[in-house]
Amino acid sequence: MATDSTTTAPIPDPAAADQVENSTAEQDINPWSVTGAQDESGEVAAIDYLNLAKKWNTSLIDEKVLERFERVTGHKPHRWLRRGLFFSHRDFDKILDKYEKGEPFFLYTGRGPSSGSLHLGHTIPLQFTRWLQEVFDVPLVFMLTDDEKALFKDSLTFEEVLHFGMENAKDIIALGYDVKKTFIYSDLKYVGGHMLMNAWEFSKLVTFNQVRGAFGFNESTNIGKIFFPSLQCVAAFGTSYPEIWTDEPMQERSKLIASIPCLIPMGIDQDPYFRLLRDNSSRMKNPSPKPALIHSKFLTALQGPGGKMSSSNPNSAIFMTDTPKQIKTKINKYAFSGGQETLEQHRELGGNPDVDVAYIYLTYFEEDDEKLKSIYDSYKSGELLTGELKKLAVELLQKNVAEFQEKRKEVTDEVLAEFMRPRKLESRATTQVQKLLEEAEAKAKLAVRPKKK
Ligand code: TYM
């Protein structure tokens, strides 16, 4: 097994380190905002992911899942799996079954372009998706929900979000996706044909009561918002993409394509959409299996583990456009510290890495398990000082962002156009689908052949 408990640094568990008693507001996690529970004095506690998984009835990713993943794929689990940062799932085991049997599935994820640049938090599910694509060799469809952002943010126009979407798509490409296996699309430009037909059909199955329950909508909610979840949901149906499976686009929405399972990596805030989908996917004319989901924790806001890094609060986030100096200033000025007030106290009592934002960032970006563990231990013992810990985080993030910016320069308009061109995608899974389609066609021909007298 790849995970070696003697060298793996402890995963920060801020919720355990900071139990809230008599909390007066529960934590609130939804696709548009994320806040930790609040106690009587207004202190915001760390997000309690175990509680969330329990409340939403998701399955935790445990050693058993990781062992099976390694056995089936032959790949060591990604450090974000080993460290519990991707911590929860729905039916991921069924995807492993499919992979083991050599049966096809595909990946779907997305981004709502609310600003012109991604922040470091967005890159977590996106980099992880790229890694899954490499491991499984499957097609990926990538939805840019420009429509969602204009509908949900009064200050944004449809023209602005369309522009942000194109900039974000270049960022996404710079994360290293394989163009042969990846189709990126803007809802405002692509949605029509089979995908729109799926969305209308899906919307016919879902009542206002259901979306109100899932998203807290009310009678004053604009009707665009009420319909939008249909679109984010049907993006998980293979039939929404008539171009990606065969040389010629499919003429009809096919039962066989609808039956191909989908795996959706995401931050856990997106789960409410896909609960709605899982409840209704089998009710479509061409039924689809419940999509499998894999959930990440949020890369915390600079201010601490009670909130997520978010574009709507620029001081909470490190953007992928930030300069080395901006990164240094943000970490030094805003990153919540688990260190003690004075040097003497720190040496005597030690720091608390579990709540320290610089340490938490290291858990995401430091590949070396042993090095991470030694940083954890030496901060906890008081040997490593806050300034020194922050320096380590600054250097690692500066390197990560600078490498990204170099790759981003290579993404020209032509490269972007190719990723966004509806076309057949190439992968092990696509070949498996083609074989299934040919077999189905041969069977259908046999069935219509007149019997010999
Ligand atoms: P958006 O743009 O809010 O976020 C894109 C993806 O990034 C995740 N995310 C984070 N992950 C870790 N740490 C953070 N601080 C952080 N902030 C955001 C989100 O959970 C998401 O996975 N409606 C969606 C777009 C979408 C989508 C999807 C996302 C359409 N289809 C399928 C995931 C899967 C949105 O606005 O994402």
Side-chain angles (χ1 to χ4, degrees):
M1 179 61 221
T3 316
D4 176 350
S5 56
T6 56
T7 57
T8 303
I11 306 306
D13 183 5
D18 192 11
Q19 290 290 345
V20 201
E21 279 174 32
N22 305 322
S23 80
T24 53
E26 275 187 34
Q27 59 183 7
D28 182 18
I29 284 109
N30 63 62
W32 305 286
S33 74
V34 168
T35 24
Q38 238 183 37
D39 70 10
E40 278 159 348
S41 58
E43 273 292 292
V44 179
I47 290 155
D48 184 343
Y49 289 99
L50 288 184
N51 192 355
L52 189 63
K54 208 163 154 195
K55 187 169 162 197
W56 286 0
N57 205 15
T58 68
S59 306
L60 293 176
I61 297 179
D62 54 17
E63 283 293 307
K64 241 173 92 187
V65 177
L66 296 187
E67 266 169 32
R68 172 131 197 265
F69 172 89
E70 184 159 2
R71 197 161 12 91
V72 168
T73 65
H75 282 262
K76 178 177 168 173
H78 192 284
R79 64 178 185 279
W80 296 339
L81 282 170
R82 303 199 302 271
R83 295 176 190 167
L85 302 172
F86 274 80
F87 73 108
S88 147
H89 74 100
R90 297 185 192 270
D91 289 339
F92 185 55
D93 40 340
K94 290 196 179 152
I95 289 292
L96 293 178
D97 293 345
K98 288 276 161 195
Y99 185 80
E100 201 167 26
K101 288 191 211 144
E103 290 174 8
F105 60 93
F106 68 104
L107 282 164
Y108 153 48
T109 197
R111 151 78 181 146
S114 55
S115 71
S117 164
L118 298 186
H119 61 59
L120 210 53
H122 296 129
T123 69
I124 305 298
L126 307 189
Q127 292 208 40
F128 187 70
T129 304
R130 198 212 62 208
W131 177 79
L132 285 176
Q133 186 188 42
E134 269 170 30
V135 168
F136 290 129
D137 196 0
V138 288
L140 163 68
V141 288
F142 199 114
M143 179 181 230
L144 293 165
T145 53
D146 33 21
D147 47 358
E148 177 194 22
K149 291 299 137 172
L151 285 167
F152 283 83
K153 254 198 168 172
D154 288 341
S155 59
L156 289 177
T157 66
F158 286 88
E159 284 77 9
E160 275 166 332
V161 289
L162 191 58
H163 171 70
F164 289 159
M166 296 305 118
E167 292 301 311
N168 288 184
K170 287 187 170 175
D171 287 352
I172 292 156
I173 294 166
L175 293 172
Y177 288 99
D178 181 345
V179 68
K180 288 203 225 75
K181 299 178 193 167
T182 309
F183 172 46
I184 303 177
Y185 63 96
S186 133
D187 282 358
L188 290 174
K189 285 190 170 176
Y190 176 69
V191 174
H194 292 184
M195 180 177 251
L196 190 57
M197 207 189 293
N198 279 338
W200 286 122
E201 189 185 326
F202 190 81
S203 73
K204 206 173 153 186
L205 303 173
V206 179
T207 63
F208 176 59
N209 266 345
Q210 283 174 296
V211 282
R212 180 167 52 190
F215 303 109
F217 295 157
N218 61 41
E219 288 77 358
S220 308
T221 304
N222 73 49
I223 58 175
K225 288 185 188 175
I226 297 168
F227 173 74
F228 171 76
S230 302
L231 215 51
Q232 178 151 335
C233 287
V234 303
F237 296 153
T239 52
S240 292
Y241 312 96
E243 307 89 356
I244 69 169
W245 305 106
T246 43
D247 291 322
E248 291 298 317
M250 306 209 60
Q251 296 299 311
E252 306 267 326
R253 294 182 298 164
S254 126
K255 233 185 179 61
L256 191 147
I257 299 290
S259 73
I260 303 169
C262 178
L263 169 63
I264 317 176
M266 70 187 85
I268 194 154
D269 58 329
Q270 300 294 313
D271 186 76
Y273 281 110
F274 301 113
R275 293 205 292 267
L276 198 65
L277 173 59
R278 285 169 57 89
D279 285 347
N280 293 290
S281 58
S282 66
R283 298 172 64 213
M284 294 289 284
K285 180 179 136 258
N286 294 326
S288 287
K290 287 178 197 284
L293 318 179
I294 184 158
H295 303 114
S296 76
K297 294 179 180 172
F298 303 112
L299 187 67
T300 60
L302 282 158
Q303 287 72 17
K308 70 164 183 169
M309 194 176 268
S310 163
S311 309
S312 49
N313 176 4
N315 286 337
S316 76
I318 299 205
F319 288 92
M320 300 312 282
T321 43
D322 281 352
T323 61
K325 190 157 173 250
Q326 280 172 316
I327 295 174
K328 187 171 170 194
T329 312
K330 282 185 183 175
I331 299 273
N332 286 339
K333 197 163 164 192
Y334 299 117
F336 182 80
S337 166
Q340 302 293 343
E341 293 276 306
T342 65
L343 180 69
E344 291 70 31
Q345 280 173 345
H346 190 86
R347 291 279 188 227
E348 193 191 327
L349 304 170
N352 182 357
D354 288 322
V355 296
D356 193 290
V357 169
Y359 178 74
I360 292 172
Y361 290 175
L362 287 174
T363 64
Y364 278 84
F365 297 102
E366 175 55 62
E367 177 65 46
D368 185 337
D369 289 344
E370 272 180 51
K371 186 170 171 194
L372 193 62
K373 179 159 177 5
S374 103
I375 294 171
Y376 184 93
D377 291 341
S378 95
Y379 193 59
K380 206 164 172 117
S381 73
E383 192 190 331
L384 188 71
L385 301 175
T386 296
E388 292 164 337
L389 180 64
K390 285 195 170 186
K391 188 160 176 278
L392 291 173
V394 167
E395 283 168 2
L396 197 60
L397 295 189
Q398 283 176 333
K399 183 165 167 278
N400 183 297
V401 174
E403 280 171 6
F404 167 85
Q405 290 172 355
E406 277 309 301
K407 297 215 181 86
R408 175 66 158 80
K409 283 187 202 151
E410 291 163 20
V411 186
T412 59
D413 288 344
E414 290 71 35
V415 171
L416 175 68
E418 185 55 15
F419 270 93
M420 299 192 75
R421 184 171 67 84
R423 79 218 111 92
K424 185 180 155 199
L425 300 178
E426 307 288 345
S427 69
R428 177 180 121 119
T430 328
T431 313
Q432 291 161 343
V433 170
Q434 268 169 334
K435 209 166 146 235
L436 292 174
L437 284 168
E438 280 160 21
E439 283 167 11
E441 205 177 312
K443 242 190 208 165
K445 272 190 192 149
L446 267 183
V448 294
R449 196 183 289 166
K451 280 194 186 132
K452 277 187 191 157
K453 285 196 183 142

